[in-house]
Amino acid sequence: MTAPTTSEPAIRVQGLTKSYKTLHVLRGVDLEVTRGSIFALLGSNGAGKTTAVKILSTLLKADAGTARVNGFDVAKQAADVRESISLTGQFAAVDEILSGRENLVLVARLRHLKDPGKIADDLLKRFSLTDAGARKVSTYSGGMRRRLDIAMSLIGDPPVIFLDEPTTGLDPQARLEVWQTVKELARHGTTVLLTTQYLDEAEQLADRIAILHEGRIIVNGTVAELKQLLPPAKVEYVEKQPTLEDVFLTLVGDNGHNRNAGTNA
Ligand SMILES: Nc1ncnc2c1ncn2[C@@H]1O[C@H](COP(=O)(O)OP(=O)(O)OP(=O)(O)O)[C@@H](O)[C@H]1O
Ligand SMILES: [Mg+2]
């Protein structure tokens, strides 16, 4: 896939709105994702993360606003956008009866690529699945499946990949494996937009983090920038920078819970 010659960001979203009947989910979302970076969209359940990802991957139409992915308008150039992206979950129904390698070969064939066997073997190697490649997917662990899922979505080398909650439901070890995979993607120059509810995931992986709350991006910055939004913890505590979780909960509201003692001192 040839990227446009402009230095346009991989993803540019302006004034995106989307309602489901009377439920106003996105109320004017603006964001930009630099090429080759990892961008995390954080938000509580129901914040609209999946809705945003669906619009960016052309599965859903926005009510208003514009979104460009790899230089293409999601509404007017949907086919070009689709050729530029992949979305995990798209092939979530990995065929259990087939082996990991057979799944990869199948997708490469469906995409009419040359030498599907080599593509499969390269991806197995890159995702540390070579040894398991010949085994049926039904014998894979959750982490291995997720890695295969991501590997499958990379066939054809899309410049932009959307990962909607890539580690939900995985154990800590499997999460680490997926994190490695995602970092690896960015090292290869792929732009990654991931959604997550896990603050540590965003902190570990993302070059930039945006918090989606009540339909808008309320903050957008690096982890360091986000942490600067809160003063370091109070002096009665051991010196400690606020965690990203502190920043998140303060910004989106803590439902009245005072998690930090000291307010009643
Ligand atoms: N097709 C739909 N019809 C009606 N309401 C919908 C539809 N899809 C999503 N919603 C609602 O829109 C809101 C945002 O949903 P969305 O799935 O985008 O949130 P999310 O941030 O991905 O949440 P989660 O963290 O739980 O995955 C939710 O209140 C959801 O119930
Ligand atoms: Mg979601």
Side-chain angles (χ1 to χ4, degrees):
M1 157 76 18
T2 48
T5 48
T6 64
S7 56
E8 180 163 339
I11 301 170
R12 173 177 279 163
V13 175
Q14 286 171 321
L16 209 62
T17 69
K18 177 71 189 176
S19 301
Y20 298 108
K21 298 206 172 109
T22 57
L23 181 66
H24 304 303
V25 178
L26 305 180
R27 296 161 178 257
V29 169
D30 299 304
L31 61 85
E32 281 190 8
V33 181
T34 310
R35 287 183 188 275
S37 70
I38 303 179
F39 187 93
L41 190 59
L42 267 177
S44 315
N45 283 130
K49 302 180 298 296
T50 297
T51 300
V53 166
K54 281 189 180 165
I55 292 170
L56 292 178
S57 52
T58 76
L59 298 177
L60 192 65
K61 277 203 179 349
D63 298 332
T66 57
R68 296 177 72 80
V69 175
N70 198 32
F72 302 114
D73 185 294
V74 294
K76 297 180 196 131
Q77 298 168 291
D80 293 315
V81 172
R82 280 185 210 132
E83 282 200 13
S84 305
I85 63 163
S86 75
L87 170 64
T88 42
Q90 193 176 1
F91 300 106
V94 284
D95 194 323
E96 303 253 327
I97 311 290
L98 297 181
S99 70
R101 188 175 187 279
E102 286 165 341
N103 268 286
L104 292 164
V105 168
L106 185 67
V107 176
R109 286 219 178 101
L110 289 172
R111 298 205 171 176
H112 307 294
L113 296 173
K114 267 194 286 181
D115 210 349
K118 181 175 184 317
I119 291 172
D121 289 333
D122 288 349
L123 282 166
L124 288 170
K125 190 164 169 220
R126 181 159 152 203
F127 289 87
S128 310
L129 289 167
T130 302
D131 292 345
R135 254 164 56 197
K136 280 185 186 171
V137 171
S138 57
T139 68
Y140 283 19
S141 70
M144 292 163 79
R145 272 170 207 239
R146 202 64 65 94
R147 261 153 46 214
L148 180 65
D149 198 20
I150 296 175
M152 285 165 75
S153 70
L154 287 184
I155 291 175
D157 221 0
V160 180
I161 172 164
F162 296 104
L163 303 174
D164 195 10
E165 305 208 12
T167 65
T168 296
L170 296 186
D171 68 29
Q173 177 58 35
R175 290 181 77 207
L176 284 177
E177 290 171 8
V178 171
W179 287 358
Q180 285 309 324
T181 305
V182 174
K183 287 181 182 167
E184 188 65 18
L185 289 183
R187 260 203 296 279
H188 277 70
T190 307
T191 305
V192 180
L193 184 147
L194 64 92
T195 75
T196 185
Q197 302 174 36
Y198 300 125
L199 304 165
D200 57 338
E201 180 157 296
E203 194 160 5
Q204 280 287 325
L205 288 181
D207 298 304
R208 287 186 83 80
I209 296 167
I211 298 177
L212 180 61
H213 183 62
E214 295 183 345
R216 291 194 179 87
I217 302 290
I218 55 166
V219 219
N220 180 341
T222 62
V223 174
E225 285 166 358
L226 264 56
K227 286 189 173 185
Q228 273 172 12
L229 295 173
L230 284 194
K234 293 187 181 151
V235 284
E236 62 256 41
Y237 293 103
V238 182
E239 63 196 67
K240 172 179 168 277
Q241 291 295 314
T243 64
L244 186 56
E245 187 174 18
D246 294 331
V247 177
F248 178 82
L249 291 174
T250 300
L251 289 167
V252 307
D254 202 1
N255 297 326
H257 301 303
N258 284 316
R259 292 168 58 260
N260 291 322
T263 46
N264 48 2

